[in-house]
């Protein structure tokens, strides 16, 4: 049979001519690889071949295609490779959601298959799957990752270093909590860290910090292992390493020191994110490394255009937190921020302006740009970001009304969302900017009062300070809640947690508001004496002032405050603090005996030898007290209020001679209206503020000081013409609480003045506002004056004879600061023919014409009063005073040395005559205002002191500041022929001359 077949084949092949095959003849196509199959089409693929397909895939979609085509033949290793390779594919965030949606079923199938084989996977595969799921961001795979973490607990010893690092990194990246696994890793691999490469050390530390796992011993081991090989770390690994330690606040000073030394010459290797993270880590760890920050700043400034918004914000925050002021960097950051503020998220805006405010960077353009952006996008901001933003603008002192209006709106709309710290920051910010929006503080009070017990000491102090600063109507309610909380929680020693500044701010707030906080002050007084040694100068002043004006001072506290004040030195205290300590010194002299110390009072180590029951110091050292008194004296008001001027006018209509805005010697208090014991013998002394307090902001301004020359004599019968030694305080709303109770500061001032021998009348604003007519106002003042009992009250002192010699001498020394200072100031004013308006306009006697023959004290200054005194009294000597020899004598200026006529051409014009003439000129000559009248009075005083006849002056003689040629012509015409008399009007004089 086979032979037959062979024969047939041969016959067939030999039949016909042979045909040649063309090289272009069509051949069947080659069976090459098809998509998804590589070179394995046409035959079943094994696991190794599928792995090769997965490794050669160039996109996430092609990996999905391999799984779809060969899912039934996928082995364990193939699933691990698929997830690992999927995690390494770069999928931009905008395409990630589309990818997950398109491959939802495929991914779910792959995840289910993986989940079913976790129990038998090797460590390498477990780590690879977890790493891939975490990197690709597949949230549905988190359940599988947790199963992997549980499986790893049973075979952790079999994991290699890289596998451990990858597994914990993946869990942290996915945000999954696996505390048991992390504890096991920290416990079992601490002694294997020598197996870890730099990247693995860095990734492991990052994973623990990202998961918030505290493992001090493990982190210490990582630091010890990393330090010797820091040179092998890449820039990113260095940044991640220090970031990790800073995040979990694990102290590693040597690691940070060595990393800083390694990073400084390599700063150029860091990208923008790493530069920001590096600075953030060192700031967060509170590790001082100024040289490193300067190197980072030098590298960052020319590359800020590469920084993302978050990186810019982190860099600014880091430098501000570290306290590194790099002006060039902050200026560059501000320029970038202004142009890209619309790209910043709410947290990034908040952090940036917080950083600039904290660093004190003077970049107003940044704040203005931020104010507009925040105001427009306030609904995007979280409550913490709103509070931080308000705090930043208040700290920087930037006026942003629109921003604060938006903050107030959000506070009303979202009041239940703000926590206590945020409420405190908002209250502080509004108070710092002096924004007294009443409903906002009511809202803050309503939200805070029920939760005061949860406030930290700083929050309590800041909230109290804020409400007191703006005089919020609800301040009393808030302070009452604070007092209840603090007194009730004394067993928990909450008050002992207060810092010095917080104690000082709290008591200052209570004293400023006038809150009834006796129990709180009583409790504070038991332990504050032992804490005073740590008080800063402003804390000393606030505490001493608060306890003094509320009359809650205790002997132990007074002794401790005196000792701390002396230790600090007078130069340590500013103007305001010096004024507060002067009142404290007045309290030492006038308010003792103080309340007794409690038996549980903790005494300070200094002053040595002080025991409970001892008498506190009677006053501060003389030189220091003089310095503080000088500070009080130069605090002259800028101007009198309209209410004050109205009372002064009514008093003038009664014919009562008085002086406005006068400072009482020794007490240092500036009083609204003073009726002097004897205006002739107790002349106001005109001083330059710089002579008393060179550091004062008001240096160069003039102020007037008066000291009572002799005890007042009781009038018999009482008559307004005999009223003397009276202080009239015109008290506006600030002097009272909402229920119209006087504030402690006002009460203290009146109390001290009374104890110094003055009769004090207080005119409340609400009483005066009810008087609609001048007659009613005069009747009110007459009634108050006639009710004065000029007999000394029990416990009160006769001024100043009843004062100690030491205090009297101090008062006299500070009263005028020496005759030379007074003469210098007066001579400078007189020679320059300057307007008395250069003095405090409010510090002048009333200018209304007298009624009933009662002389009103003129405004001609000390020189005019000396002229008046000699012309009126002649050679009559002033009544002697105790210690009169110690009193510096005021000499007249050189320009007024000739007080009496020496020839026929000289005319003796006394002070009353000069004042009367000028007052009538002010009335009769149109165009002379009060200010110009002051200038005219100064000019007339100088000319009268030279013996010139004011009735025969030329137009040129009358010209002075404010009085030009045209106005001088009217003055010369009106004054022509005037005689040196203090009574009658010019018109009467002219009529008399015409009649003659």
């Amino acid at each position: 049979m086979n032979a037959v077949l062979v024969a047939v084949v041969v016959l067939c092949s030999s039949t016909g001519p042979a045909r040649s095959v063309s090289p272009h003849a069509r051949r069947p196509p080659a069976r090459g690889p098809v998509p998804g199959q590589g070179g394995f089409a046409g035959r079943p693929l094994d696991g190794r071949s599928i792995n090769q397909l997965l490794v050669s895939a160039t996109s996430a979609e092609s990996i999905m295609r391999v799984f779809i085509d060969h899912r039934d033949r996928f082995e364990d290793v193939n699933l691990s490779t698929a997830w690992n390779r999927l995690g390494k594919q770069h999928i931009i965030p905008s395409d990630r959601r589309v990818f997950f949606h398109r491959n939802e079923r495929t991914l779910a199938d792959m995840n289910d298959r993986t989940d079913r084989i976790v129990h038998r996977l090797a460590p390498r595969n477990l780590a690879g799957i977890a790493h891939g799921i975490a990197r690709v961001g597949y949230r549905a795979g988190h359940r599988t990752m947790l199963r992997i973490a549980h499986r790893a607990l049973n075979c952790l010893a079999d994991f290699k270093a890289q596998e451990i690092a990858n597994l914990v990194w993946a869990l942290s990246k996915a945000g999954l909590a696996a505390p048991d696994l992390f504890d096991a890793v920290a416990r079992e691999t601490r002694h294997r860290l020598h197996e870890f490469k730099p990247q693995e050390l860095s990734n492991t530390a990052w994973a623990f910090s990202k998961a918030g796992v505290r493992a001090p011993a493990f982190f210490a081991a990582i630091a010890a292992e990393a330090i010797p090989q820091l040179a092998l770390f890449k820039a990113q690994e260095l940044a991640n390493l220090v970031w990790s330690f800073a995040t979990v606040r694990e102290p590693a000073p040597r690691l940070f020191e060595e990393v800083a030394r390694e990073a400084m010459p390599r700063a150029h290797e860091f990208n923008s994110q790493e530069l920001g993270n590096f600075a953030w880590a060192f700031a967060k760890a509170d590790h001082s490394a100024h040289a490193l920050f300067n190197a980072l700043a030098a590298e960052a400034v020319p590359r800020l255009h590469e920084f993302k918004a978050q990186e810019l914000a982190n860099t600014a925050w880091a430098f501000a937190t570290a306290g590194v002021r790099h002006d060039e960097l902050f200026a560059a950051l501000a320029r970038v921020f202004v142009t890209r503020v619309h790209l910043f998220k709410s947290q990034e805006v908040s952090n940036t302006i917080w950083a600039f405010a904290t660093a004190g960077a003077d970049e107003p353009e940044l704040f203005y740009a931020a104010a507009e952006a925040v105001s427009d996008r306030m609904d995007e901001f979280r409550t913490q970001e709103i509070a931080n933003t308000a705090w930043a603008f208040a700290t920087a002192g930037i006026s942003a009304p629109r921003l604060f209006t938006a903050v107030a709106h959000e506070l009303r709309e979202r009041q239940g969302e703000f926590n206590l710290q945020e409420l405190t920051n908002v209250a502080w910010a509004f108070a710092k900017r002096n924004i007294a929006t009443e409903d906002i503080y009511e809202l803050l009070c309503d939200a805070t009062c029920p939760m005061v017990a949860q406030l930290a000491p700083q929050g309590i102090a800041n909230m109290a300070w804020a409400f007191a600063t703006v005089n919020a109507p609800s301040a009393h309610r808030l302070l009452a809640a604070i007092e209840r909380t603090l007194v009730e929680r004394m067993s928990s020693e909450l008050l002992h947690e207060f810092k010095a500044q917080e104690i000082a701010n709290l008591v200052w707030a209570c004293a400023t508001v006038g809150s009834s906080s006796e129990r709180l002050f009583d409790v504070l007084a038991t332990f504050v004496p032992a804490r005073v040694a740590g008080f800063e100068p402003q804390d000393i002043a606030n505490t001493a002032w608060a306890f003094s004006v509320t009359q809650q001072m205790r002997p132990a506290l007074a002794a401790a405050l005196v000792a701390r004040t002396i230790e600090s030195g007078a130069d340590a205290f500013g103007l305001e603090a010096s004024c507060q300590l002067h009142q404290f010194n007045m309290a030492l002299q006038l308010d003792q005996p103080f309340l007794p110390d409690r038996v549980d009072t903790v005494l300070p180590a200094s002053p040595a030898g002080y025991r409970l029951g001892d008498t506190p110091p009677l006053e501060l050292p003389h030189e220091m007290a003089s310095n503080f008194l000088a500070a009080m004296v130069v605090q002259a008001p800028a101007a009198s209020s309209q209410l004050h001027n109205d009372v002064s006018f009514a008093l003038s209509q009664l014919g009562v001679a008085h002086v406005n805005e006068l400072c009482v010697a020794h007490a240092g208090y500036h009083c609204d209206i003073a009726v002097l014991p004897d205006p002739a013998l107790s002349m106001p002394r005109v001083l330059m503020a710089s002579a008393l307090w060179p550091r004062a902001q008001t240096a160069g301004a003039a102020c007037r000081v008066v000291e009572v020359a002799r005890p007042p004599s009781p009038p018999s019968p009482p008559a307004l013409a005999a009223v003397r030694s009276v202080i009239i305080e015109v008290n506006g709303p600030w002097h009272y609480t909402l229920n119209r109770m006087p504030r402690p500061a006002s009460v203290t001032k009146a109390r001290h003045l009374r104890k110094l021998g003055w009769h004090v009348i207080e005119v409340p604003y609400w009483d005066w506002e009810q008087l609609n007519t001048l007659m009613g106002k005069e009747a009110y003042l007459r009634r108050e004056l006639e009710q004065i009992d000029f007999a000394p009250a029990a416990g009160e002192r006769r001024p100043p004879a009843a004062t100690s010699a030491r205090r009297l001498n101090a008062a006299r020394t500070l009263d005028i600061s020496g005759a030379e200072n007074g003469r210098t100031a007066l001579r400078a004013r007189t020679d320059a023919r300057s307007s008395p308006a250069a003095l405090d306009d409010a510090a002048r006697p009333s200018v209304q014409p007298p009624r009933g023959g009662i002389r009103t004290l003129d405004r001609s200054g000390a020189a005019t009063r000396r002229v008046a005194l000699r012309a009126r009294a002649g050679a009559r000597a002033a009544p002697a005073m105790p210690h009169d020899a110690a009193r510096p004598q005021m000499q007249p200026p050189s320009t007024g040395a000739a007080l009496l006529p020496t020839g026929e051409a000289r005319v003796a014009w006394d002070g009353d005559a000069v004042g009367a003439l000028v007052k009538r000129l002010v009335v009769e000559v149109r165009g002379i205002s009060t200010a110009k009248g002051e200038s005219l009075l100064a000019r007339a005083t100088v000319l009268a002191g030279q013996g010139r006849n004011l009735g025969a002056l030329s137009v040129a003689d009358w010209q002075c500041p404010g009085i030009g040629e045209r106005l001088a012509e009217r003055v010369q015409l009106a004054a022509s022929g005037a005689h040196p008399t203090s009574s009658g009007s010019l018109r009467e004089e002219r009529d008399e001359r015409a009649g003659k």
Side-chain angles (χ1 to χ4, degrees):
M1 184 67 178
N2 290 335
V4 174
L5 290 174
V6 170
V8 172
V9 170
V10 171
L11 289 174
C12 292
S13 61
S14 59
T15 306
R19 293 180 300 172
S20 61
V21 180
S22 169
H24 301 288
R26 181 176 181 180
R27 297 179 181 180
R31 298 300 299 266
V34 296
Q37 296 183 356
F40 308 103
R43 62 183 175 86
L45 301 183
D46 57 10
R48 184 174 181 179
S49 301
I50 292 174
N51 254 18
Q52 292 180 11
L53 290 176
L54 292 170
V55 171
S56 62
T58 57
S59 67
E61 291 291 350
S62 61
I63 293 173
M64 292 290 96
R65 177 86 275 130
V66 172
F67 178 76
I68 292 171
D69 291 345
H70 305 287
R71 72 179 73 192
D72 295 336
R73 291 183 292 276
F74 256 54
E75 300 176 2
D76 295 356
V77 67
N78 301 140
L79 286 170
S80 174
T81 303
W83 284 114
N84 193 23
R85 293 295 301 168
L86 194 61
K88 293 182 179 180
Q89 304 305 312
H90 178 67
I91 307 175
I92 61 177
S94 59
D95 294 342
R96 194 179 301 273
R97 181 176 297 181
V98 176
F99 170 78
F100 287 146
H101 179 72
R102 182 185 299 130
N103 297 282
E104 181 178 3
R105 293 185 179 181
T106 304
L107 287 168
D109 186 13
M110 193 164 75
N111 184 53
D112 290 341
R113 289 169 180 267
T114 306
D115 193 56
R116 290 195 294 268
I117 65 171
V118 164
H119 65 282
R120 64 174 185 258
L121 290 176
R124 180 181 180 182
N125 295 335
L126 290 173
I129 291 171
H131 194 265
I133 293 175
R135 289 196 64 175
V136 78
Y138 183 54
R139 293 182 176 275
H142 288 181
R143 184 186 63 177
T144 301
M145 293 181 66
L146 291 175
R147 288 174 62 85
I148 290 173
H150 181 72
R151 168 82 172 94
L153 280 173
N154 301 324
C155 57
L156 191 59
D158 300 330
F159 278 69
K160 296 179 181 179
Q162 183 180 8
E163 295 161 1
I164 293 173
N166 285 351
L167 179 57
V168 293
W169 182 94
L171 292 169
S172 294
K173 175 71 173 178
L176 298 177
D180 294 339
L181 177 63
F182 278 90
D183 290 343
V185 169
R187 184 176 59 254
E188 297 181 19
T189 64
R190 186 175 62 183
H191 304 295
R192 296 176 53 192
L193 289 176
H194 61 278
E195 304 173 9
F196 285 63
K197 297 176 183 178
Q199 183 180 9
E200 293 154 8
L201 287 171
S202 176
N203 285 353
T204 303
W206 182 92
F208 271 72
S209 62
K210 184 71 172 177
V213 177
R214 296 296 303 273
F218 187 57
F219 271 88
I222 291 176
E225 188 64 34
I227 289 174
Q229 48 182 324
L230 286 177
L232 303 177
F233 278 68
K234 298 178 182 178
Q236 183 182 11
E237 295 160 2
L238 283 175
N240 286 349
L241 184 65
V242 292
W243 182 93
S244 304
F245 276 78
T247 300
V248 293
R249 294 188 176 277
E250 289 293 348
R254 183 162 177 262
L255 173 66
F256 277 86
E257 183 178 345
E258 294 296 330
V259 169
R261 186 178 294 110
E262 177 68 26
M264 275 191 290
R266 296 172 56 186
H268 62 279
E269 299 178 16
F270 294 92
N271 62 29
S272 58
Q273 182 179 7
E274 292 156 3
L275 285 169
N277 285 352
F278 228 99
W280 183 94
F282 274 77
K284 186 74 172 179
D286 195 20
H287 187 89
S288 179
H290 281 65
L292 173 64
F293 274 87
N294 288 331
L296 294 175
E299 187 63 33
V301 168
R303 295 166 53 189
L304 284 181
H305 63 279
E306 304 173 9
F307 283 56
K308 298 178 182 177
Q310 183 179 9
E311 295 159 1
L312 291 168
N314 285 352
T315 302
W317 182 93
F319 274 76
T321 303
V324 179
R325 176 72 178 274
H326 196 285
D327 293 336
E328 185 181 0
L329 174 65
F330 276 95
L333 283 169
R335 290 193 296 270
V336 175
F337 179 87
V338 169
T339 59
R340 293 165 57 184
V341 63
H342 60 285
L343 300 177
F344 281 62
K345 297 178 181 177
S346 58
Q347 183 179 10
E348 295 158 1
V349 173
S350 175
N351 285 353
T352 301
I353 59 178
W354 178 93
F356 274 75
T358 302
D362 186 17
E363 298 292 343
E365 293 301 323
L366 175 137
F367 282 93
Y368 296 146
E372 291 302 315
V374 174
S375 301
D376 294 336
R377 299 163 47 193
M378 187 64 75
D379 57 322
E380 302 175 14
F381 281 63
R382 296 181 299 170
T383 53
Q384 181 182 6
E385 295 158 3
I386 293 173
N388 288 351
T389 299
W391 179 94
F393 273 83
T395 301
I398 300 295
S399 178
R402 184 166 174 247
L403 171 71
F404 280 93
T405 300
V407 171
H409 174 76
E410 292 300 317
L411 187 62
R412 297 185 187 99
E413 293 294 320
R414 293 193 266 170
Q415 53 183 293
E417 302 176 20
F418 285 77
N419 63 31
L420 276 175
Q421 181 61 50
E422 293 158 4
L423 291 173
T424 302
N425 285 350
V426 171
W428 184 92
F430 273 71
K432 187 71 173 178
R433 296 304 304 152
N434 198 28
I435 302 174
T437 307
E438 185 171 327
D439 70 311
I440 290 297
Y441 284 93
E442 286 290 337
L443 185 153
L444 290 169
C445 184
D446 292 340
T448 304
C449 283
M451 300 187 291
V452 165
Q454 303 174 27
L455 276 174
Q458 183 182 16
I460 291 175
N462 285 353
M463 190 68 82
W465 177 90
F467 275 70
T469 298
V470 299
N471 192 27
S474 51
H476 288 80
R477 187 155 55 95
L478 174 70
L479 290 173
I482 290 175
E483 180 184 14
R484 286 194 303 271
T485 297
L486 295 182
V487 173
E488 292 170 0
R489 293 177 60 186
M490 268 304 295
S491 58
S492 64
E493 298 186 349
L494 174 64
L495 282 171
H496 294 273
E497 300 174 11
F498 277 70
K499 297 178 182 178
Q501 184 180 11
E502 295 160 0
I503 294 172
N505 284 352
L506 178 59
V507 295
W508 176 89
C510 293
T512 300
V513 170
S515 174
S516 178
S517 305
E518 290 86 356
R519 290 192 305 161
L520 177 60
F521 278 91
D522 184 49
V523 170
L524 286 169
T526 61
F527 72 91
V528 170
R531 300 276 303 278
V532 166
F535 279 33
E536 296 296 327
Q538 189 62 56
D539 305 329
I540 299 170
N542 283 349
T543 304
W545 178 84
F547 274 88
S548 297
V549 299
T550 56
Q551 292 188 276
Q552 297 295 321
M553 185 64 70
R554 267 67 169 180
L557 179 58
L561 288 169
V562 168
R564 183 69 179 115
T565 303
I566 295 173
E567 182 183 357
S568 300
D571 291 339
F573 299 92
L575 190 59
E576 181 180 358
S578 297
C579 293
Q580 291 175 314
L581 287 173
H582 170 70
Q583 287 191 286
F584 167 57
N585 194 47
M586 293 292 295
L588 290 174
Q589 300 173 26
L590 302 176
D591 289 343
Q592 293 197 48
F594 297 136
L595 295 173
D597 287 317
R598 287 183 13 171
V599 293
D600 57 343
T601 300
V602 182
L603 295 178
S606 177
Y610 182 85
R611 297 171 299 178
L612 293 180
D614 288 355
T615 302
L618 296 178
E619 58 186 337
L620 292 171
H622 170 64
E623 184 177 353
M624 178 174 281
S626 299
N627 191 300
F628 295 156
L629 172 59
M632 194 78 169
V633 169
V634 302
Q635 290 289 303
S640 300
S641 65
Q642 183 176 353
L643 177 63
H644 174 180
N645 290 332
D646 196 24
V647 174
S648 175
F649 179 81
L651 198 63
S652 296
Q653 298 305 305
L654 286 176
V656 178
H658 62 279
V659 176
N660 288 313
E661 303 291 5
L662 205 61
C663 182
V664 177
H666 177 57
Y669 288 116
H670 290 270
C671 303
D672 293 336
I673 298 173
V675 182
L676 303 181
D678 190 328
L681 301 178
S682 299
M683 298 179 295
R685 319 293 174 83
V686 182
L687 305 177
M688 303 305 290
S690 57
L692 294 179
W693 186 266
R695 292 180 292 152
Q697 293 180 353
T698 56
C703 56
R704 296 168 184 257
V705 183
V706 67
E707 181 176 357
V708 181
R710 55 192 172 92
S713 301
S716 180
L720 294 187
V723 171
R724 293 291 183 268
S725 190
V726 177
I727 295 294
I728 301 178
E729 285 292 282
V730 185
N731 292 339
W734 177 251
H735 292 266
Y736 301 94
T737 63
L738 287 179
N739 55 356
R740 293 185 174 179
M741 295 295 293
R743 295 185 184 275
S746 299
V747 173
T748 300
K749 178 180 179 180
R751 181 176 71 251
H752 287 172
L753 288 172
R754 289 188 177 102
K755 288 189 176 183
L756 289 172
W758 292 88
H759 300 277
V760 180
I761 297 175
E762 296 180 83
V763 180
Y765 69 95
W766 63 83
D767 279 355
W768 194 259
E769 289 175 351
Q770 292 178 353
L771 305 173
N772 299 323
T773 64
L774 179 59
M775 185 178 297
K777 296 174 181 178
E778 292 178 6
Y780 177 92
L781 292 175
R782 181 185 296 274
R783 183 170 60 253
E784 293 294 326
L785 290 169
E786 289 179 344
Q787 289 176 356
I788 294 176
D789 180 9
F790 282 89
E796 291 187 350
R797 308 181 184 185
R798 287 292 193 181
T803 60
S804 68
R806 180 177 179 183
R807 291 203 302 271
L808 183 58
N809 290 338
R812 287 169 175 168
T813 303
L814 263 293
D815 186 19
I816 313 300
S817 288
E820 187 58 34
N821 287 334
R823 287 196 299 273
T824 301
L826 288 171
R827 188 179 299 115
R829 291 168 52 251
T830 305
D831 291 345
R833 299 179 179 179
S834 61
S835 169
L839 301 176
D840 186 350
D841 285 340
R844 60 176 183 267
S846 173
V847 301
Q848 284 77 19
R851 295 176 56 188
I854 303 298
R855 178 179 52 79
T856 302
L857 192 63
D858 63 76
R859 296 175 289 179
S860 56
T864 302
R865 294 184 179 87
R866 284 194 296 274
V867 174
L869 174 60
R870 292 198 179 185
R872 182 171 59 255
R876 179 169 57 89
M881 291 178 53
H883 313 290
D884 198 49
R887 187 186 187 98
Q889 298 299 315
M890 295 292 290
Q891 301 296 332
S894 58
T895 54
L899 299 178
L900 297 177
T902 57
E904 296 181 355
R906 304 183 69 84
V907 180
W909 285 76
D910 64 18
D912 287 345
V914 174
L917 172 63
V918 174
K919 288 171 189 174
R920 284 155 180 75
L921 291 177
V922 170
V923 173
E924 295 190 6
V925 179
R926 295 188 60 184
I928 300 184
S929 62
T930 303
K932 292 180 180 179
E934 292 278 2
S935 183
L936 198 64
L937 181 59
R939 177 65 172 155
T941 300
V942 172
L943 296 174
Q946 296 172 349
R948 300 287 299 277
N949 185 353
L950 301 185
L953 294 179
S954 66
V955 172
D957 290 327
W958 281 113
Q959 292 185 42
C960 59
I963 306 295
E965 182 178 358
R966 293 187 179 180
L967 200 55
E969 291 177 356
R970 301 178 188 173
V971 171
Q972 192 271 342
L973 179 62
S976 178
H979 298 294
T981 174
S982 61
S983 61
S985 66
L986 292 179
R987 186 175 294 105
E988 292 172 347
E989 294 174 1
R990 289 174 185 154
D991 293 344
E992 182 181 354
R993 290 197 302 272
K996 290 181 180 180

